[in-house]
Amino acid sequence: RCLSDWSSDVCSSDLHAPAEASSATMGSSLHFKTVDTGRPVPFHAPEWAHRYDDPSFFTDGGRMIPTLESGYWWIEIGAPWDTLHDNEDIRHELTRHVLGIWDYLKNRDPYWSPRATNLALDWVGQVPGKRESRRVLGEVFLTEHDLVREERFDDEVAFGGWYIDLHTIGGLLEKVAEPVTTARLADPETSSGSSTYVGPFGIPMRALISKDLSNLMMAGRNVSATHVALGSLRVMGTAALMGQAAGTAAALAGSYTDLRRDLPARVPAVQQALLRDGCFLPHRRNEDPDDLARSATVTASSTEPVRGVGPNSANWLGGLDHWRGYPVFPFRGELTKRVAQWIALGAGQAVRTISLALRNTADTERVVSATVYEVDDIWDYRLEPGKPLLTAERLVPPGGPHWVEWAVDLEADPDRPSRYIRIDLDEAPDLEWVVSSAVLPGQVAAYEDGGRYRRFGGGSTLSFRIDPAQHAYAPEQVLTGVTRPHAATNQWRSDPVEPLPQWLQLEWAEPQTVRQIQLVFAGHLLREYHAYPPRYRDPQCVRDYAIEAWIDEGWREITRAEGNYTRRVVHDIEPVTTSRLRLVVHATNGDPAAGVYEIRCYATPRCTPNALQK
């Protein structure tokens, strides 16, 4: 059903939706965990456990086994049981399969059995994790078209971006667990599944409000969406964001008796509250009239110039790796397909030359075609985002990597804000654009996959140089109202050549009384959680710092923090009246540069304290 103002032909031409409606849903899963006992320990499956003997059931069915520590999403069953009404039967059946799968891995798998000698089952879940069951119709009924078109909703309160991840109905009872995963495991270079890539897209509040009941909101896997759209909306990160949005909206709704009628007027307040609490909304930014920092002038002790990074640039990732157990993303820049790098430009700056580090494995020189585009943001994954700014062909001699220079001569526009350009290299046999060992924050790479770009390597920067150096991390980036890279880097970084401490200063034309300060530091936004080692503290995140106020013609420390590792921190302070306030960064968790996304100041406390804050 179309419940908004969309035309009926849009709803009837779904890309993945079946021609006939069905009540079938994706299945539920049970997980397990193991423990290393330090000595050989046997496992004997009960007679009622399901028996597995065929390795091809796993290898050919997309049922990847990256580790024996815990697993696995594909231990899943739905149909022929009903996930809503047959939950207990599903639990019993899944338990049979969990024990049977562990029996196979422990006792009969030629690769894993020797590695499972000292492992014992430590825990088996007994509450099936639902992917899909009951959904409630809302004021807006989201379809896959909204996700594909990245529809802009005025009442956006959350966002998503996971691909349309539709598991095979029946799960373990079918030959293939999930078509896209199965195809990628067979061939990591395949473009299978490219039609399911979506977003990032905004999620409207109206999809969280029941259309028939006056006081009901939904969040997570029961939101107003089709089966296909739910394939993207259902993942945990997106569901959590919708939960925060619904909770915030309910808190601000107060005594309203009809959410459908009264809550839309509160949408701007809900959006600003979510942004204040650290959420990201693709089409909204901080416009809080009570935030005193928005009227300040911002300066800094130093700023990192963007000159580029090379194959052997210093790595400040602190042990952060890629998700190597899931062979989906490429980790090298071979030009077997089109590859691109986003480069952040400073406000009103020209670009004279760009150089790329390229390797040629052939015995003779090769030619590569290059194109420069201006793009909307770091998620502008269109292959053709507009008219190219310029194109060229470059010669790459054998060997390398070689720095191949390109005189692009992009003129300065003094009225242009900081923005991104994108360098695209076409497919070229024997050539590789070398991945840098370093990552420049907010400057990412992508590869072509089935007619659009996809994130490269889970978060990497390809080697490039740019002249003149760009001021893309200027102090004013902390006042853009966005707390992650998007249409700009939205981050101040101090010059890593200059030793800490470094400072960032707000100055007002007239003295302001400040009672609360919120800081958003860099870090924790790069890769899948699977790539993070235990107890990881992002080196970019500021660790030790002080906040000082200009009082009686001198700087006075008003608060200090040590040992911080969280991205968002809130300081309630004794009221201070000042025309200048500054953050002094004494140490990070490892990065030589101090990085800050945002500073907010309030005369009356508005920000929610961080529970993890020391």
Side-chain angles (χ1 to χ4, degrees), residues 308-315 317 322 331 341 357 403 433-440 456 459-464 527:
V309 287
N312 300 307
S313 294
N315 181 334
L317 298 178
H322 294 282
F331 302 116
Q341 172 65 46
W403 284 104
W433 190 349
V434 181
V435 177
S436 176
S437 52
V439 175
L440 278 177
F456 184 98
S460 301
T461 304
L462 295 165
S463 298
F464 75 91
R527 292 181 182 154

Side-chain angles (χ1 to χ4, degrees), residues 155-159 203-205 208 241 245 267 270-271 274 279 281:
D155 58 338
E156 166 183 285
V157 290
F159 81 101
I203 301 170
M205 184 184 291
L208 311 183
L241 290 174
V267 165
V270 172
Q271 291 171 330
L274 290 168
C279 288
L281 301 177

Side-chain angles (χ1 to χ4, degrees), residues 82-154:
D82 185 286
T83 57
L84 182 61
H85 299 103
D86 300 330
N87 199 54
E88 286 300 295
D89 293 333
I90 290 173
R91 175 173 69 92
H92 294 314
E93 190 65 19
L94 282 171
T95 301
R96 292 180 62 233
H97 285 275
V98 168
L99 297 178
I101 289 167
W102 178 245
D103 176 46
Y104 171 77
L105 296 175
K106 175 78 172 175
N107 297 319
R108 292 185 297 283
D109 185 272
Y111 178 82
W112 288 112
S113 292
R115 292 162 173 80
T117 300
N118 294 349
L119 298 181
L121 280 180
D122 186 44
W123 170 86
V124 176
Q126 289 296 280
V127 179
K130 292 182 186 293
R131 288 181 175 84
E132 183 177 17
S133 61
R134 191 190 303 273
R135 293 196 297 277
V136 181
L137 291 179
E139 292 288 295
V140 162
F141 189 54
L142 293 173
T143 75
E144 62 187 297
H145 297 283
D146 301 305
L147 279 54
V148 171
R149 293 185 311 220
E150 300 172 29
E151 190 78 19
R152 295 194 178 196
F153 297 101
D154 290 339

Side-chain angles (χ1 to χ4, degrees), residues 574-587:
E574 291 297 322
V576 59
T577 300
T578 183
S579 61
R580 280 187 274 174
L581 197 73
R582 73 179 184 182
L583 167 71
V584 182
V585 177
H586 293 279

Side-chain angles (χ1 to χ4, degrees), residues 35 37 48-49 55 62 70 77 85 92-93 102 136 151 164 207 311 322 328 346 361 375 377 385 472 494 551 575:
V35 61
T37 65
W48 45 266
S70 62
I77 284 180
H85 299 103
H92 294 314
E93 190 65 19
W102 178 245
V136 181
E151 190 78 19
I164 298 176
H322 294 282
V328 172
T361 59
V375 289
D377 52 57
S494 68
I551 300 174

